[in-house]
Amino acid sequence: MTDQDREVTGGVDTHGETHHAAVVDRIGRHLADREFPATGAGYRQLLAWLRSHGKVAAVGVEGTGAYGAELARVLREAGLTVVEVDRPDRKTRRMKGKSDPIDAYAAATAVVSGRASGIPKTRDGIVEAIRSLRVPRRSAVKARTQAINQARQLLITAPETLRAQLRGLSAAELAQACARLRPGGKLAEPLHAAKAALRRLGRRILALTEEIEELDTELKALTKQAAPELLALNGVGPDVAGQLLASAGDNPDRLRSEAAFAHLCGVAPIPASSGRRDRHRLNRGGDRAANHALHTIVLSRMRWDERTRAYVQRRTGDGLVKKDIMRCLKRYVVREVYRALMQALARQRAQVTHRTRNQLTDAA
């Protein structure tokens, strides 16, 4: 058998500046390894190097959501099957050591043995755009909350004349009032220093609020375009829908079933029975941000949805505590969310197919 007829599997240990690739044959024998720069030219060199060893069956890549994101795109566009590989656990590292070649070979071996079979997110569609915009929004919300807390903390120790002027105001009113303060020139005096500090915090809060509102407008439009079926669900707003879309990715069909999506969101029930007691407990694994989004939906429905309120009342009568009832409700909600995501995916595929056919017709 020639090298070109041989079937091989690649593995890549990704880093910020370089990627280390390795190749194994179909029974896991080590063939070669090499380091490449994490640049466009380096990705092309890595692809050519992999193909020089034979027919590439698949490539296992560590960190497809971080350092290996662009490499995964390049390999996928070249027609290769990309498999997401988790880093080796601590026990394996203690037994076999730690180095870039070792990790690259471990990634390839995990694919050959079948231990790694996860399909990575494509990160090349509208959901990736939503995820990118959610990053500055999240940091802006966090910074605004911090600024509001700092302003209220300053008021606790400020002179009474200033405290009386700003007492009892809401967060928005406090920010506007602080932004209008006029400190004097003597910053050595506590009153003027407090006014100067509160004025800067007030302006910061207002600027962050404006930034958050702009991002909300952009995200609402993108979310409505990506998954109007998700927004139609009771208790789902643009922020919650954006998080669920980001957790599922542009290709939620990589999730094999509704149960797999439940595991991803950390709402799959965990058996916790003992003796005569038969029960399940909360699952604290999975994507905690997605779990928080489901938690928000459940809280909204428990307050405003009559069907959910009746369910809570019935399950309370059965002896379940509130957290167990919410665990059950999250599992029901994730079923609706998964169905809406699949509908959105089917609609997007139909649009892409229709657009492609029109382009082919125009070209003909």
Side-chain angles (χ1 to χ4, degrees):
M1 181 183 296
T2 65
D3 288 348
Q4 296 303 317
D5 295 332
R6 179 172 53 190
E7 184 177 285
V8 298
T9 300
V12 185
D13 181 30
T14 60
H15 300 281
E17 300 297 330
T18 61
H19 296 336
H20 202 100
V23 178
V24 300
D25 62 13
R26 66 176 63 188
I27 61 174
R29 289 180 296 191
H30 296 189
L31 300 180
D33 66 275
R34 183 178 168 186
E35 186 176 84
F36 299 89
T39 62
Y43 299 146
R44 292 189 293 272
Q45 294 171 10
L46 190 152
L47 176 61
W49 180 79
L50 287 175
R51 285 176 167 169
S52 68
H53 290 84
K55 182 180 179 181
V56 182
V59 183
V61 180
E62 282 191 27
T64 57
Y67 293 135
E70 181 61 21
L71 174 63
R73 292 191 193 100
V74 172
L75 296 176
R76 193 164 45 246
E77 290 173 358
L80 299 184
T81 300
V82 180
V83 179
E84 187 172 4
V85 178
D86 294 330
R87 68 176 186 176
D89 56 26
R90 293 182 178 179
K91 180 180 178 181
T92 303
R93 288 177 181 269
R94 285 196 300 268
M95 294 176 60
K96 298 186 176 181
K98 169 73 174 73
S99 70
D100 292 347
I102 290 176
D103 289 347
Y105 278 120
T109 304
V111 176
V112 172
S113 65
R115 294 196 309 272
S117 58
I119 302 173
K121 296 179 181 179
T122 57
R123 297 184 181 275
D124 57 2
I126 190 172
V127 175
E128 178 63 13
I130 292 173
R131 188 196 68 83
S132 299
L133 289 176
R134 283 181 55 81
V135 172
R137 185 191 184 278
R138 184 167 56 248
S139 62
V141 170
K142 184 177 180 180
R144 183 178 64 175
T145 302
Q146 183 184 41
I148 293 172
N149 292 338
Q150 288 174 340
R152 295 195 184 280
Q153 184 66 32
L154 276 174
L155 282 177
I156 294 176
T157 57
E160 176 58 26
T161 55
L162 184 58
R163 294 173 61 193
Q165 182 180 350
L166 301 175
R167 184 178 288 118
L169 299 180
S170 65
E173 294 170 342
L174 178 63
Q176 294 174 357
C178 289
R180 291 193 300 265
L181 290 175
R182 295 294 182 267
K186 299 180 180 180
L187 292 180
E189 297 181 9
L191 177 61
H192 298 301
K195 285 185 176 181
L198 288 171
R199 183 185 185 187
R200 289 184 172 87
L201 287 173
R203 290 181 173 181
R204 184 184 302 172
I205 294 168
L206 294 178
L208 288 169
T209 300
E210 182 180 358
E211 180 182 345
I212 292 169
E213 290 174 352
E214 292 176 356
L215 286 166
D216 283 340
T217 302
E218 296 167 351
L219 284 167
K220 184 177 181 180
L222 288 175
T223 305
K224 187 175 181 179
Q225 178 183 347
E229 300 86 351
L230 197 57
L231 289 172
L233 297 179
N234 188 5
V236 179
D239 184 52
V240 169
Q243 178 56 60
L244 292 172
L245 284 169
S247 298
D250 283 293
N251 51 330
D253 54 330
R254 69 194 180 90
L255 303 169
R256 299 182 302 277
S257 63
E258 168 206 316
F261 185 58
H263 274 283
L264 172 66
C265 297
V267 297
I270 303 297
S273 303
S274 178
R276 297 182 179 179
R277 189 177 184 185
D278 186 13
R279 61 179 293 269
H280 293 77
R281 67 168 177 84
L282 295 172
N283 184 349
R284 291 177 172 80
D287 187 331
R288 303 317 297 168
N291 190 282
H292 182 266
L294 296 175
H295 187 83
T296 303
I297 298 173
V298 168
L299 287 178
S300 175
R301 293 187 178 186
M302 288 175 68
R303 183 170 184 179
W304 304 108
D305 184 51
E306 290 297 330
R307 186 180 61 170
T308 304
R309 294 173 67 178
Y311 176 83
V312 172
Q313 185 176 3
R314 178 171 62 85
R315 298 295 280 173
T316 302
D318 294 339
L320 267 68
V321 297
K322 184 178 179 180
K323 71 176 184 179
D324 287 334
I325 295 174
M326 293 187 71
R327 175 186 60 77
C328 297
L329 285 171
K330 285 182 183 179
R331 186 62 183 86
Y332 291 136
V333 169
V334 83
R335 183 174 298 130
E336 296 182 25
V337 169
Y338 180 77
R339 190 180 303 118
L341 286 172
M342 292 299 104
Q343 291 174 357
L345 176 66
R347 178 178 51 78
Q348 291 175 12
R349 282 179 173 172
Q351 291 175 352
V352 171
T353 303
H354 180 71
R355 192 181 307 116
T356 303
R357 287 177 179 174
N358 290 340
Q359 292 174 352
L360 292 174
T361 302
D362 294 340

